[in-house]
């Protein structure tokens, strides 16, 4: 029986000092029918030279550059990887994390076991053990089934590299290139609305590297920027999914946007008109109450 080809898609930017360990963990996979597509986001370090070494070492590695006419960011790189991928299944990975040797084998074993559209596995930190309790909270599948509502309201959650998805399904969904953070929430919201034919496996098969130099880490230092980032994530997810989701999901996403906007008027700069329309559309008469609250909140902030 021929084993499916698995495409591993890795965006990278100035990670020449780290990505070698990631690629070594791909090379160490016990499942061998894979291709690994690394898409560079405009690195200025030694990434090109390092990738030349790996591509010469093993032709299963493919190296691509983000074209200049594409938006900068990991999302565009992942979309390019999806376009270039030839696999039957897709795995998204990051250029600073590590696969355990059975990573691909476990995913393929279980996704094929019931002809599932995707499989969800687990991750833990390998360099900050105390934060593994935080990661473990993501995987509350014992009391919550896999559904779009449970994912979008974050009753269940998982990380970008926890999944392995059938190619035709993965390629039918794009990463939102307007987002610099929260892109996995947006993508998986669309995934769960497209299919919940999935299985969760309790096995840890990914090792995550903790480091402060992350977008979320930088946002935590600036409260308003953090609120703006979450606002954009919920707003774009609302816009991307409103044609295929139900009223409960509409209301949840719009209310999250409202609550973030209420924290400070700067949070929804550039979105004011469309947000107010969405609040009234989804909440009807109660929406006018929310709009009035935002109006008086703006006045209060201005008078401070």
């Amino acid at each position: 029986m021929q084993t499916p080809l698995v495409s591993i898609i890795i965006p990278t930017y100035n990670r020449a000092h780290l990505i070698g360990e990631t690629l070594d963990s791909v090379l160490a996979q016990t499942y061998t029918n894979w291709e690994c597509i690394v898409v560079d986001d405009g690195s200025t370090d030694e990434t090109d030279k390092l990738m030349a070494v790996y591509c010469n070492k093993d032709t299963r590695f493919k190296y691509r550059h983000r074209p200049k006419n594409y938006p900068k960011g990991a999302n565009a790189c992942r979309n390019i990887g999806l376009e270039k991928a030839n696999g039957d299944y897709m795995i998204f990975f990051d250029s600073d994390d590590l696969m355990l040797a059975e990573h691909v084998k476990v995913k393929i074993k279980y996704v094929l076991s019931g002809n599932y559209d995707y499989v969800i596995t687990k991750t833990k930190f390998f360099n900050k053990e105390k934060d593994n309790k935080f990661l473990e909270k993501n995987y509350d599948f014992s009391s919550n089934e896999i559904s779009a509502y449970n994912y979008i309201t974050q009753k269940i959650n998982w990380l970008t590299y926890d999944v392995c998805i059938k190619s035709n399904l993965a390629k039918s969904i794009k990463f939102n290139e307007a987002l610099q953070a929260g892109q996995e929430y947006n993508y998986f919201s669309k995934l769960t609305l497209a299919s919940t034919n999935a299985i969760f496996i309790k096995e840890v098969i990914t090792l995550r590297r903790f480091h402060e130099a992350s977008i979320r880490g930088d946002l935590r230092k600036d409260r308003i920027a953090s609120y703006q980032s979450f606002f954009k994530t919920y707003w774009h997810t609302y816009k991307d999914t409103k044609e295929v989701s139900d009223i409960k999901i509409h209301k949840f996403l719009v209310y999250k946007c409202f609550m973030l906007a209420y924290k400070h008027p700067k949070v929804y700069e550039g979105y004011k008109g469309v947000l107010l329309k969405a609040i009234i559309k989804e909440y009807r008469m109660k929406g006018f109450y929310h709009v009035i609250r935002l109006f008086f909140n703006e006045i209060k902030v201005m008078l401070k």
Side-chain angles (χ1 to χ4, degrees), residues 116-209:
Y116 294 105
D117 287 334
Y118 54 100
V119 62
I120 303 160
T121 56
K122 293 177 66 174
T123 293
K124 70 176 182 180
F125 286 111
F126 68 88
N127 62 335
K128 197 173 183 183
E129 291 290 327
K130 67 177 184 179
D131 275 17
N132 281 324
K133 288 184 179 179
F134 168 75
L135 278 188
E136 188 64 31
K137 293 178 182 178
N138 286 317
Y139 308 108
D140 186 18
F141 293 86
S142 58
S143 53
N144 295 289
E145 65 178 0
I146 300 172
S147 73
Y149 182 79
N150 282 344
Y151 180 81
I152 291 169
T153 58
Q154 293 290 270
K155 289 181 172 62
I156 55 173
N157 195 16
W158 56 86
L159 304 179
T160 311
Y161 23 72
D162 287 332
V163 297
C164 178
I165 312 169
K166 276 186 177 179
S167 177
N168 60 345
L169 177 59
K171 287 173 175 279
S172 72
I173 306 166
K174 298 297 182 186
F175 282 87
N176 189 312
E177 294 172 3
L179 294 174
Q180 293 299 312
Q183 57 266 27
E184 69 286 343
Y185 174 81
N186 178 272
Y187 184 91
F188 293 138
S189 293
K190 292 181 282 193
L191 176 68
T192 54
L193 284 164
S195 173
T196 54
N197 177 30
I199 184 172
F200 168 65
I201 303 302
K202 292 183 179 179
E203 291 189 47
V204 173
I205 57 174
T206 303
L207 300 179
R208 185 183 188 185
R209 186 187 303 272

Side-chain angles (χ1 to χ4, degrees), residues 37-300:
I37 304 169
V38 177
V39 184
D40 184 75
D41 194 30
S43 296
T44 56
D45 60 3
E46 300 294 310
T47 298
D48 283 356
K49 291 181 180 179
L50 182 70
M51 288 308 306
V53 171
Y54 278 91
C55 290
N56 288 331
K57 181 190 299 186
D58 196 313
T59 58
R60 291 175 295 178
F61 287 113
K62 317 290 182 185
Y63 187 44
R64 301 287 183 267
H65 290 87
R66 172 184 53 79
K68 291 182 179 179
N69 62 324
Y70 275 67
K72 181 173 175 56
N75 292 342
C77 293
R78 291 188 182 102
N79 287 337
I80 291 166
L82 282 168
E83 291 170 8
K84 302 294 183 183
N86 297 306
D88 303 296
Y89 291 89
M90 303 289 139
I91 291 174
F92 301 112
F93 213 71
D94 284 353
S95 58
D96 59 341
D97 298 315
L98 306 175
M99 291 183 169
L100 293 181
E102 301 285 297
H103 182 107
V104 179
K105 183 177 180 180
V106 166
K107 284 181 170 178
I108 289 299
K109 172 186 174 182
Y110 285 103
V111 81
L112 293 179
S113 68
N115 193 28
Y116 294 105
D117 287 334
Y118 54 100
V119 62
I120 303 160
T121 56
K122 293 177 66 174
T123 293
K124 70 176 182 180
F125 286 111
F126 68 88
N127 62 335
K128 197 173 183 183
E129 291 290 327
K130 67 177 184 179
D131 275 17
N132 281 324
K133 288 184 179 179
F134 168 75
L135 278 188
E136 188 64 31
K137 293 178 182 178
N138 286 317
Y139 308 108
D140 186 18
F141 293 86
S142 58
S143 53
N144 295 289
E145 65 178 0
I146 300 172
S147 73
Y149 182 79
N150 282 344
Y151 180 81
I152 291 169
T153 58
Q154 293 290 270
K155 289 181 172 62
I156 55 173
N157 195 16
W158 56 86
L159 304 179
T160 311
Y161 23 72
D162 287 332
V163 297
C164 178
I165 312 169
K166 276 186 177 179
S167 177
N168 60 345
L169 177 59
K171 287 173 175 279
S172 72
I173 306 166
K174 298 297 182 186
F175 282 87
N176 189 312
E177 294 172 3
L179 294 174
Q180 293 299 312
Q183 57 266 27
E184 69 286 343
Y185 174 81
N186 178 272
Y187 184 91
F188 293 138
S189 293
K190 292 181 282 193
L191 176 68
T192 54
L193 284 164
S195 173
T196 54
N197 177 30
I199 184 172
F200 168 65
I201 303 302
K202 292 183 179 179
E203 291 189 47
V204 173
I205 57 174
T206 303
L207 300 179
R208 185 183 188 185
R209 186 187 303 272
F210 176 89
H211 56 91
E212 292 292 343
S214 67
I215 292 172
R216 279 291 182 217
D218 291 341
L219 289 173
R220 281 192 289 269
K221 299 171 188 175
D222 184 337
R223 184 174 295 180
I224 298 298
S226 179
Y227 293 156
Q228 287 174 326
S229 176
F230 281 111
F231 176 90
K232 288 178 181 178
T233 297
Y234 288 119
W235 178 255
H236 281 281
T237 302
Y238 168 68
K239 294 289 288 182
D240 289 350
T241 65
K242 66 178 183 176
E243 299 301 324
V244 293
S245 57
D246 61 30
I247 189 65
K248 289 196 304 180
I249 290 173
H250 296 181
K251 285 187 172 183
F252 172 82
L253 292 170
V254 170
Y255 189 72
K256 294 293 283 189
C257 291
F258 161 75
M259 290 301 295
L260 288 161
Y262 189 77
K263 292 178 186 296
H264 199 286
K266 282 187 177 181
V267 170
Y268 63 118
E269 282 183 348
Y271 294 87
K272 184 175 179 179
V274 290
L275 175 62
L276 298 184
K277 286 181 182 178
I279 291 171
I280 293 170
K281 178 183 177 181
E282 303 301 343
Y283 280 90
R284 306 294 181 179
M285 291 304 296
K286 189 177 180 181
F288 287 99
Y289 168 70
H290 292 321
V291 168
I292 291 169
R293 289 179 66 191
L294 287 177
F295 174 73
F296 280 107
N297 189 59
E298 281 192 35
I299 294 174
K300 184 173 70 174

